[in-house]
């Protein structure tokens, strides 16, 4: 759980994921509009999407806009600008979505996703992984790294841009041996700006969520290797994307180094596998530790993306 280092010959871009830009179109007498359409706002995906040739595509565009814009609520005009759809089309979709419990009106002219959207997400994730699968993968990683402590972190569903540990393979070890109290687990390891696993997840989140995390203070209990400078933190995220893993040096706690790799389901970041060892035993993560950690993350990615039926075939 610490600072990552760029492998020789593997230059890392210091920029966050590039944002695509929409094409501006105008018409006389209607600034920023043409044939009733508004300019697509530059955003994480806005410029790479079509405006939607069918009603269903337009509905999906509006739903996606809420996720990518961030924030608590948005008006039809802002969504129209982001998606490139006409204001009136967006307004009709929002009104219909209220009755279908997809959107809810929170103020005059402001809307947000309804909690039923979260229920859909939970249903979609219900079949992905079970404890038997994760324990098998983590125990395999522990053996492959000569007794390393293996953890599975997933994006926390109810606490914004944070993570939580959902499984581990640590043998007879406990939090006391790690030098951590339960309070440390809640205050340090849940932050995405600390630790190899946190930065691994953060590296693949939309820019709007990255900025939210960068605005958070560094946890008081963080280790001596934590990134305190946001520019350096952003550069490390680019490095994670370039290499496909993060190396940590005493970032969450003194005396412990780590390696983490991302778990991706259907192109979205869902969590990270973390391998933790004492600094005295692992001053620098060797290649076999890095490869074993990446393979564990890849295996959980395959299970999550394919579902249990394909994973058990």
């Amino acid at each position: 759980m610490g600072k990552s280092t760029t492998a020789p010959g593997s230059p890392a871009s210091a920029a966050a994921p590039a944002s695509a830009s929409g094409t501006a179109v105008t018409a006389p007498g209607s600034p920023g509009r043409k044939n009733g359409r508004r300019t697509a706002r530059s955003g994480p995906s806005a410029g790479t999407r079509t405006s939607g040739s069918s009603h269903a595509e337009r509905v999906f565009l509006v739903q996606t806009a809420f996720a990518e814009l961030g924030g608590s609520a948005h008006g039809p005009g802002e969504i129209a600008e982001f998606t490139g759809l006409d204001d009136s089309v967006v307004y009709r979709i929002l009104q219909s979505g209220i009755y279908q419990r997809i959107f809810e009106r929170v103020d005059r002219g402001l809307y947000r996703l309804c909690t039923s959207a979260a229920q859909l997400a939970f249903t979609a994730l219900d079949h992905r992984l079970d404890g038997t699968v994760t324990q098998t993968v983590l125990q395999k990683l522990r053996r492959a790294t000569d007794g390393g402590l293996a953890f599975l972190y997933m994006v926390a569903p109810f606490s914004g841009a944070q993570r939580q540990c959902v499984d581990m393979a640590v043998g007879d070890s406990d939090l006391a041996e790690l030098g951590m109290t339960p309070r440390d687990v809640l205050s340090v390891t849940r932050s995405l700006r600390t630790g190899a696993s946190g930065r691994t997840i953060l590296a693949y989140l939309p820019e709007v969520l990255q900025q939210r995390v960068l605005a958070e203070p560094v946890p008081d209990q963080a280790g001596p290797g934590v990134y305190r400078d946001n520019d350096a933190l952003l550069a490390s995220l680019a490095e994670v994307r370039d290499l496909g893993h993060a190396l940590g040096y005493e970032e969450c706690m003194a005396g412990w180094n780590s390696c983490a790799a991302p778990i991706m389901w259907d192109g979205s970041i869902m969590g990270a596998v973390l391998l933790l060892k004492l600094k005295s035993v692992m001053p620098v993560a060797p290649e076999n530790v890095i490869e074993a950690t990446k393979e564990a993350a890849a295996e959980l990615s395959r299970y999550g993306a394919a579902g249990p039926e394909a994973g058990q075939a």
Side-chain angles (χ1 to χ4, degrees), residues 49 60-70 74 79 82-83:
R49 295 191 300 249
F60 292 140
L61 282 176
V62 171
Q63 289 177 305
T64 303
F66 280 96
E68 297 190 354
L69 283 170
H74 304 283
I79 296 171
F82 185 84
T83 60

Side-chain angles (χ1 to χ4, degrees), residues 1 29 37 53 84 86 94-95 100 102 108 125 140 195 213 226 228 234 263 287 298:
M1 291 179 280
R37 301 179 61 80
S53 58
D86 182 71
L94 291 173
Q95 295 307 305
Q100 300 299 327
I102 301 300
R108 183 178 180 87
L125 296 176
K140 178 181 176 182
V213 173
V226 68
R228 298 188 179 276
L234 281 172
I263 298 171
E287 192 63 28

Side-chain angles (χ1 to χ4, degrees), residues 194-208:
T194 59
S197 61
R199 290 184 296 104
T200 294
I201 294 172
L202 184 61
Y204 295 93
L205 286 178
E207 184 179 356
V208 62

Side-chain angles (χ1 to χ4, degrees), residues 37 45-54 57-58 61 83-85:
R37 301 179 61 80
S45 304
T48 61
R49 295 191 300 249
T50 63
S51 60
S53 58
S54 69
E57 290 175 342
R58 292 166 183 159
L61 282 176
T83 60
L85 296 174

Side-chain angles (χ1 to χ4, degrees), residues 5 7 23-24 30 33 61 78 88 100 111 118 130 141 143 180 194 203 209 217-218 245 248-249 284-285 309:
T5 56
T23 303
S30 182
R33 302 175 66 96
L61 282 176
E78 184 180 8
S88 61
Q100 300 299 327
Y111 302 80
D130 61 42
L141 175 59
R143 292 192 299 269
M180 299 184 70
T194 59
L209 294 180
V218 175
H245 69 272
Y249 298 101
V284 177
E309 294 81 4

Side-chain angles (χ1 to χ4, degrees), residues 6-54:
T6 305
S10 300
S13 167
S19 297
S21 299
T23 303
V25 288
T26 57
S30 182
R33 302 175 66 96
K34 183 177 182 179
N35 297 328
R37 301 179 61 80
R38 297 184 60 164
T39 301
R41 173 177 172 178
S42 175
S45 304
T48 61
R49 295 191 300 249
T50 63
S51 60
S53 58
S54 69

